[in-house]
Amino acid sequence: MKRLARILSAVSLLTLALVSCEKREPIDTMFSGFMTSHTDSQGYITSLVTDMGERYKVEYDKVRLMPDTIYRVVATLAIGADSTATIRQIVAPDSYKAPWENNVPAAMRVQDPVELISYYIGGGFLNIKVGIKVQDADSRHSVSYARQYSNSGKLRFTIFHNAYNEAEMITKYLYMSIPLSQYGLHENDKVFLRCKGYEEDYDLELTYR
């Protein structure tokens, strides 16, 4: 009788487990990264395209921007089974045509260190995430970028950072998405990126895709 009770108990637990599995809601796939957003006539984001070419319809968006406009964004998405996306987090990277280095004001042409967290070329942009050491969350450092051609004709971007002599207490993360469409680049052309680092300086070569 005890053995039969144990068998019935095991069967009951298995049944409960199967029922639980059947009732479990599908888990959304999470995705984070740089992408291009499109707004509708009211300024709400209606679609997002990743740098790998995946397009998602936005199910609900509470952020209101300029209507009928294309934006670069860094977002975290919950992607449903029907390829609709819910925006969990979204920030706007600095994304503007890089000025010539000589045209950048001297106060902004300072090269205090940054940490390059990630960088890649995709979607027609040079996408960069940097960390800067600041005194607190409200610190107002100046971070920008500019372009220049070397004597050999190589396209080079430089990241500038003015910390205004502030104490280095915590790390703040910033994003840049530099448009590359106006430079006449072809597949496998080289693009260079440089900036001062905390431990060593960066002088990187990237391939245009």
Side-chain angles (χ1 to χ4, degrees):
M1 182 63 69
K2 288 183 178 179
R3 184 183 176 195
L4 178 59
R6 284 197 297 269
I7 293 173
L8 289 173
S9 178
V11 170
S12 298
L13 288 172
L14 179 59
T15 302
L16 287 172
L18 290 173
V19 170
S20 176
C21 289
E22 289 175 359
K23 291 183 178 180
R24 185 178 299 163
E25 294 294 328
I27 298 173
D28 290 337
T29 301
M30 301 300 294
F31 175 82
S32 296
F34 288 86
M35 56 196 78
T36 300
S37 66
H38 300 77
T39 62
D40 62 13
S41 59
Q42 294 183 308
Y44 295 107
I45 295 175
T46 56
S47 66
L48 291 158
V49 182
T50 72
D51 288 346
M52 286 73 73
E54 291 98 347
R55 180 181 292 273
Y56 299 106
K57 181 180 179 181
V58 176
E59 192 172 58
Y60 171 73
D61 178 38
K62 61 184 178 181
V63 178
R64 198 167 188 177
L65 305 171
M66 290 290 292
D68 300 316
T69 305
I70 297 174
Y71 287 92
R72 285 295 283 178
V73 298
V74 181
T76 298
L77 309 178
I79 302 168
D82 56 354
S83 292
T84 60
T86 300
I87 299 173
R88 300 300 190 195
Q89 289 182 320
I90 188 168
V91 297
D94 285 339
S95 187
Y96 53 85
K97 181 179 178 180
W100 292 104
E101 283 190 18
N102 293 339
N103 293 336
V104 177
M108 297 178 63
R109 208 162 56 240
V110 177
Q111 287 190 283
D112 286 331
V114 304
E115 179 186 2
L116 282 183
I117 307 298
S118 65
Y119 48 88
Y120 75 96
I121 292 177
F125 296 82
L126 172 53
N127 303 293
I128 306 166
K129 178 181 179 180
V130 301
I132 58 173
K133 295 181 180 180
V134 300
Q135 183 171 312
D136 54 55
D138 296 324
S139 296
R140 299 293 182 182
H141 290 212
S142 169
V143 179
S144 61
Y145 55 81
R147 76 184 191 273
Q148 191 61 272
Y149 285 97
S150 67
N151 292 334
S152 57
K154 296 177 180 178
L155 177 61
R156 183 186 68 210
F157 295 95
T158 301
I159 298 175
F160 295 114
H161 172 211
N162 191 341
Y164 300 106
N165 299 314
E166 192 176 73
E168 299 177 353
M169 304 296 292
I170 60 174
T171 300
K172 181 177 181 179
Y173 298 102
L174 303 171
Y175 302 89
M176 289 167 269
S177 192
I178 306 174
L180 300 177
S181 58
Q182 67 268 32
Y183 302 113
L185 296 168
H186 299 90
E187 188 173 0
N188 296 323
D189 281 351
K190 302 301 180 183
V191 175
F192 296 83
L193 175 65
R194 71 174 187 177
C195 58
K196 183 177 179 61
Y198 287 99
E199 296 182 2
E200 59 181 4
D201 296 342
Y202 300 92
D203 193 355
L204 307 171
E205 178 184 297
L206 298 93
T207 302
Y208 183 75
R209 304 293 188 190

